[in-house]
Amino acid sequence: MVYVTDFRCFRCGRIHKPHEIERLPIPRCECGGPLDAEYDYRAIQKVILRDDFMRAKPTHWKYWAFMPVKDLSRIITMGEGGTPLLENKRLGENGRLLIKYEAANPTGSFKDRGSSLEITKALEFRKHRVALASTGNMGASVAAYAAYAGLECRVFIPDIAGKEKITQIKAYGSETVAVEGDYSVAIRQVEEYVISNSDSFLTGDYPWRSEGTKTVGFEIADQLYWHVPDYVVVPVGNGTLIWSIYEAFRELALVGITDRMPRIIGVQVEACAPVVHAWENKLDEIIPVRDPKTVATAIACGDPIDGLAALRAIRDSDGFALRVSDGEALAARDKLARNGIFVEPSGAVAYAGVMKKGLSGTVVVLATGHGLKDMVGLG
Ligand SMILES: *Cc1c(COP(=O)(O)O)cnc(C)c1O
């Protein structure tokens, strides 16, 4: 059973059939734009609008109908998703503040949702190896799922990646390539690599990953008994997470399970805020930042792959974008930790945005990566 019908180019609108996309070493439109999956939403309605679905415990693969998978008996899963939506009264000021604690995933970040789908696809395409560029968390996640599935993994790592994260990647048996340069340079290198090594499957912020990442959004609505929160506050690196959350809420409204969109708020750090800059200046392009330096290494994406998609998620949902300093991110990290919720600096950036802005109503904040991954400034 597979309900995906087309992949539409985000930039030029061109429609591609799934088999056309599956042949490409780099799943992207001819014009260079990112691709977005579209589904047969009427068929999905039959699966979704049922009591057993509505009441089943939220887990990543509960939402399989919204993912482009051919054979459900062959999915690679390590129990990703189903993460808690924590409500700690001491963290909110006006209204209801809920923390989506993505650190509870198998490798400590939300990246496991996308990896589960990507590695499932790599096996479906009979690949033997996966390759990617990563500042750490995606590398660790793909390395784990590849190892679990018996695939080789090669990770191109830019110089900003933290030591603990590189150790985690190596622990799973991955090969690592140290890249001289920032994340954008690492992306160029891995894309060249998969073009000349056709047995390697490219993972990263391409369509499979964003389709898998949508389940964060589905779970948030599900955990609120299918009510839509007023705000969802998200850290923005490549922009894939914020775009996937937007897509999830859009699809839930399309199938008629919810009736509105939350306002989606994107938060970046001062040293790397190309999406915030575009939002503030009403631009329709993202101006890259070269070689960004910040404690929030997981969002140090100077030339974000899904930057325009992030911008659209913010604009179309009537949200906004804001930046916080490294100091504010660390203060937010410390406050969360003192209330029992431990995240790495990038994982505290969204909460830092809420501390700065003070939102009312029901606010869901993404806490994206585990505190044990990067303990800068502690102890
Ligand atoms: C990847 C990551 C992000 C940013 O997600 P994007 O999809 O790149 O925008 C934020 N926080 C953590 C901990 C991450 O690992």
Side-chain angles (χ1 to χ4, degrees):
M1 209 81 75
V2 55
Y3 297 128
V4 65
T5 51
D6 307 298
F7 286 86
R8 182 190 290 273
C9 175
F10 185 83
R11 198 186 290 160
C12 74
R14 199 189 141 145
I15 294 192
H16 307 69
K17 287 288 159 203
H19 69 269
E20 294 168 340
I21 298 310
E22 293 176 358
R23 274 203 305 265
L24 301 173
I26 304 169
R28 197 182 275 152
C29 184
E30 290 87 330
C31 80
L35 298 165
D36 206 18
E38 295 188 341
Y39 296 81
D40 178 351
Y41 292 106
R42 275 176 177 278
I44 292 181
Q45 268 177 339
K46 298 203 180 86
V47 181
I48 300 294
L49 297 177
R50 291 179 8 186
D51 230 33
D52 56 345
F53 174 85
M54 305 285 267
R55 280 195 280 199
K57 191 168 171 255
T59 67
H60 178 70
W61 285 100
K62 173 177 173 182
Y63 317 98
W64 62 269
F66 294 97
M67 288 189 263
V69 173
K70 291 214 172 93
D71 183 352
L72 286 176
S73 71
R74 293 182 183 214
I75 58 174
I76 299 296
T77 176
M78 293 175 69
E80 57 290 330
T83 58
L85 191 60
L86 303 170
E87 183 164 15
N88 181 327
K89 297 250 171 356
R90 282 182 304 279
L91 291 171
E93 280 163 22
N94 347 308
R96 202 171 166 211
L97 188 114
L98 300 142
I99 306 272
K100 185 65 172 157
Y101 191 56
E102 286 294 298
N105 277 296
T107 75
S109 83
F110 74 88
K111 298 295 196 301
D112 293 344
R113 298 173 184 269
S115 303
S116 175
L117 179 55
E118 281 181 331
I119 299 303
T120 297
K121 294 305 280 185
L123 291 181
E124 189 184 306
F125 301 156
R126 299 176 190 283
K127 301 286 184 174
H128 300 292
R129 185 185 300 123
V130 295
L132 75 156
S134 169
T135 61
N137 288 342
M138 197 192 291
S141 177
V142 171
Y145 280 75
Y148 187 69
L151 300 177
E152 287 172 25
C153 180
R154 175 185 279 238
V155 191
F156 292 75
I157 304 178
D159 44 25
I160 195 171
K163 239 180 48 211
E164 294 84 354
K165 292 183 181 179
I166 298 174
T167 305
Q168 189 184 3
I169 292 169
K170 288 185 172 160
Y172 294 120
S174 264
E175 205 183 318
T176 55
V177 182
V179 172
E180 271 177 49
D182 67 5
Y183 177 72
S184 308
V185 178
I187 291 272
R188 276 200 293 282
Q189 287 192 8
V190 72
E191 292 190 352
E192 280 161 22
Y193 176 81
V194 293
I195 287 171
S196 47
N197 292 271
S198 62
D199 65 334
S200 291
F201 178 79
L202 177 64
T203 68
D205 289 312
Y206 307 99
W208 316 121
R209 173 161 294 276
S210 75
E211 292 309 301
T213 306
K214 288 186 305 197
T215 64
V216 185
F218 298 143
E219 282 180 16
I220 291 170
D222 200 338
Q223 288 169 311
L224 295 171
Y225 306 98
W226 301 108
H227 287 293
V228 175
D230 296 302
Y231 296 93
V232 181
V233 189
V234 191
V236 178
N238 262 332
T240 309
L241 175 62
I242 194 170
W243 172 246
S244 304
I245 290 174
Y246 168 84
E247 279 287 277
F249 280 100
R250 194 180 66 82
E251 291 184 330
L252 290 178
L254 270 175
V255 297
I257 212 167
T258 57
D259 57 4
R260 64 188 183 101
M261 292 293 289
R263 295 175 73 182
I264 296 180
I265 315 305
V267 190
Q268 296 195 294
V269 278
E270 282 167 0
C272 187
V275 173
V276 181
H277 178 83
W279 187 80
E280 284 173 345
N281 295 284
K282 302 191 167 51
L283 306 180
D284 287 318
E285 56 169 342
I286 304 288
I287 301 168
V289 174
R290 281 195 61 188
D291 206 12
K293 294 275 181 272
T294 166
V295 291
T297 55
I299 55 171
C301 308
D303 191 4
I305 294 184
D306 282 326
L308 288 177
L311 206 54
R312 188 187 288 176
I314 293 165
R315 283 183 181 151
D316 282 11
S317 69
D318 194 24
F320 57 87
L322 81 159
R323 52 172 76 87
V324 297
S325 67
D326 275 13
E328 287 167 328
L330 292 177
R333 188 265 319 260
D334 295 346
K335 183 164 176 198
L336 286 170
R338 301 216 168 103
N339 287 284
I341 300 171
F342 196 22
V343 292
E344 65 177 291
S346 304
V349 163
Y351 183 60
V354 173
M355 281 172 70
K356 192 162 183 168
K357 194 78 187 179
L359 300 168
S360 54
T362 304
V363 182
V364 173
V365 179
L366 271 288
T368 45
H370 206 291
L372 294 172
K373 279 173 168 281
D374 182 347
M375 297 200 270
V376 59
L378 294 172

